[in-house]
Amino acid sequence: MSPVLDLLATALFATAATWTALRARRGTDAALPLGLAFVAVASVLRVPAVAELLKTHAPGGTHEVAKHVALVAGCLFVGVWAYSTTTGHAPRTRYVALAAGLVGAVMVALAVASGPWTTLDLDAQASGRPLMWVYRALYYGAFVAATATFAVSCVRTRSRRPVRLRWGMDVAAAGAVVAMVWAVVSFVAALLHEPGSAEPYLVLGVRTRYLVLAASVLLTVGIVGQLASSAAFARERRRDLGHLHAFVLATVGGGGIPGSSAAVDEYHRTIEIFDGLAALALHSRRDDVDHVRVAVPGSPREVILAYQLQLAATRRARGDAPSVDPGGWAGVVADGAGPRGSPRRRRARSPAWRSSPARASADGCSSTTGWASS
């Protein structure tokens, strides 16, 4: 049964690593597939056939140390990915690789200095080798720190997200907790291991391979599920913004400036939407919200905003004067006070944007469409 479980864990992590690598679009996206790939390597090294091959053709202890180093490196990459996803602060991938390489190099140096080793489990040979206590502390400490960072990052912002955008992270956090339980159980088993015994010590009769399988299933299902749900939500959001953009262009006019790439087109569309909303906001009224709440009790925010947009568009088309008491959303898109001003302020502070050839065309959105004077 054990080889089947090890192969299943390997397949789960390898599939997740491949899928996330194909979805990576930026350099910061590389942390997740790299981490999953390292964990997949560690899972491969647990497969009996692979373990026996290394034990036969590689120096004693190589199999165990390689498995430990790969697992720690993978957890560091995945933990950093989760932290950057939930906080917006993404360390450079090369810095994470440097940290993982440094930890791995120290572990290898400690193992070499504590040698020579046979093909038995390291725990069965660690007695009388004081440097192995440092090795264990570094191994389990780095693993728990990275896994705890992952778990905390997964639940940090869950209260601010709908269920469809947090269930994957919740499942992955559960997997991280199981992984930490595995680390604690394994560390205690190493402490209580009887010197010279080839059999691992079972803490409370728990076999760690089942904890490994549970953590593997929860982590991979959670991470892939989170990414799939986020991608589906992003597609829906782009579709909704497309409808809003079409409505704003039909109501206010202008637009249609071609960009040099899809990213520039999307930036143009965002500016055009904000400028159009700012123009319509001038014709909104504060009591519009009360009218829709009376007509349709319990209306969600999206329905209320759609009603406000339609009323403002109708008033603007009739040539009505701007409202003396605009609705609450008028302040949000007012010039210089919210989203309408924010894109310009952000790009004005960006040296990359100031030197970009797309600056002139994007900056000309308002003047070309005439929204700024509306």
Side-chain angles (χ1 to χ4, degrees), residues 14-25:
T15 302
T18 303
W19 189 77
T20 53
L22 293 175
R23 286 178 47 84
R25 296 293 181 269

Side-chain angles (χ1 to χ4, degrees), residues 15 19 73 104 139 184 192 207 227 234 236-237 291 328:
T15 302
W19 189 77
Y139 170 47
V184 172
L192 300 178
R207 291 193 174 274
L227 294 176
E236 294 177 8
R237 183 174 177 81
H291 291 163

Side-chain angles (χ1 to χ4, degrees), residues 58-59 88 99 104 148 217 225 247-248 253 263 296 331 358 369 372:
V217 172
F247 171 79
V248 168
V296 188
T369 59

Side-chain angles (χ1 to χ4, degrees), residues 234-253:
R235 285 194 298 270
E236 294 177 8
R237 183 174 177 81
R238 284 194 296 268
R239 184 181 66 244
D240 293 341
L241 287 177
H243 294 322
L244 178 59
H245 184 235
F247 171 79
V248 168
L249 290 187
T251 303
V252 181

Side-chain angles (χ1 to χ4, degrees), residues 260-294:
S260 59
S261 66
V264 175
D265 288 337
E266 185 173 357
Y267 189 86
H268 286 178
R269 185 185 69 175
T270 302
I271 297 297
E272 291 166 355
I273 287 175
F274 280 120
D275 281 351
L277 291 178
L280 291 177
L282 299 175
H283 297 272
S284 65
R285 295 176 183 171
R286 195 167 299 277
D287 58 354
D288 290 343
V289 176
D290 297 330
H291 291 163
V292 70
R293 285 176 176 168
V294 170

Side-chain angles (χ1 to χ4, degrees), residues 22-362:
L22 293 175
R23 286 178 47 84
R25 296 293 181 269
R26 300 166 298 175
T28 54
D29 296 335
L32 180 59
L34 279 174
L36 293 174
F38 274 115
V39 178
V41 170
S43 300
V44 167
L45 294 176
R46 292 178 61 90
V47 177
V50 177
E52 289 301 323
L53 184 66
L54 278 179
K55 289 177 180 179
T56 303
H57 300 283
T62 301
H63 162 256
E64 291 284 332
V65 175
K67 181 174 63 177
H68 295 168
V69 170
L71 184 59
V72 168
C75 290
L76 287 174
F77 275 108
V78 175
V80 167
W81 168 80
Y83 175 80
S84 63
T85 299
T86 56
T87 64
H89 304 293
R92 294 183 181 275
T93 304
R94 62 173 174 267
Y95 295 155
V96 184
L98 181 62
L102 180 61
V103 173
V106 173
M107 290 175 61
V108 171
L110 289 171
V112 171
S114 300
W117 302 96
T118 66
T119 57
L120 294 176
D121 189 272
L122 287 185
D123 291 338
Q125 308 174 66
S127 179
R129 304 174 194 254
L131 287 180
M132 288 307 294
W133 288 107
V134 182
Y135 178 94
R136 287 169 173 168
L138 183 60
Y139 170 47
Y140 289 111
F143 177 86
V144 170
T147 309
T149 299
F150 178 87
V152 171
S153 299
C154 287
V155 300
R156 184 195 303 271
T157 58
R158 70 182 307 274
S159 61
R160 289 178 285 172
R161 290 176 287 161
V163 174
R164 64 174 298 189
L165 291 181
R166 74 166 186 257
W167 73 267
M169 283 300 204
D170 290 346
V171 173
V177 171
V178 174
M180 285 189 287
V181 171
W182 167 84
V184 172
V185 170
S186 298
F187 185 71
V188 172
L191 293 177
L192 300 178
H193 186 83
E194 184 178 346
S197 174
E199 293 295 324
Y201 183 88
L202 298 182
V203 179
L204 300 177
V206 176
R207 291 193 174 274
T208 56
R209 66 170 66 101
Y210 298 110
L211 293 175
V212 170
L213 177 63
S216 302
V217 172
L218 291 172
L219 283 168
T220 52
V221 170
I223 290 173
V224 173
Q226 175 68 25
L227 294 176
S229 298
S230 298
F233 180 79
R235 285 194 298 270
E236 294 177 8
R237 183 174 177 81
R238 284 194 296 268
R239 184 181 66 244
D240 293 341
L241 287 177
H243 294 322
L244 178 59
H245 184 235
F247 171 79
V248 168
L249 290 187
T251 303
V252 181
I257 301 176
S260 59
S261 66
V264 175
D265 288 337
E266 185 173 357
Y267 189 86
H268 286 178
R269 185 185 69 175
T270 302
I271 297 297
E272 291 166 355
I273 287 175
F274 280 120
D275 281 351
L277 291 178
L280 291 177
L282 299 175
H283 297 272
S284 65
R285 295 176 183 171
R286 195 167 299 277
D287 58 354
D288 290 343
V289 176
D290 297 330
H291 291 163
V292 70
R293 285 176 176 168
V294 170
V296 188
S299 299
R301 178 177 176 83
E302 292 80 6
V303 172
I304 294 175
L305 180 58
Y307 181 84
Q308 290 178 289
L309 288 173
Q310 189 62 53
L311 282 179
T314 302
R315 292 172 188 139
R316 189 177 189 278
R318 288 200 308 253
D320 293 356
S323 174
V324 295
D325 188 23
W329 64 289
V332 176
V333 296
D335 191 14
R340 183 173 187 250
S342 296
R344 289 179 175 79
R345 289 197 297 270
R346 285 196 296 270
R347 69 190 183 193
R349 291 196 299 264
S350 171
W353 174 261
R354 287 197 296 269
S355 61
S356 170
R359 175 188 177 188
S361 60

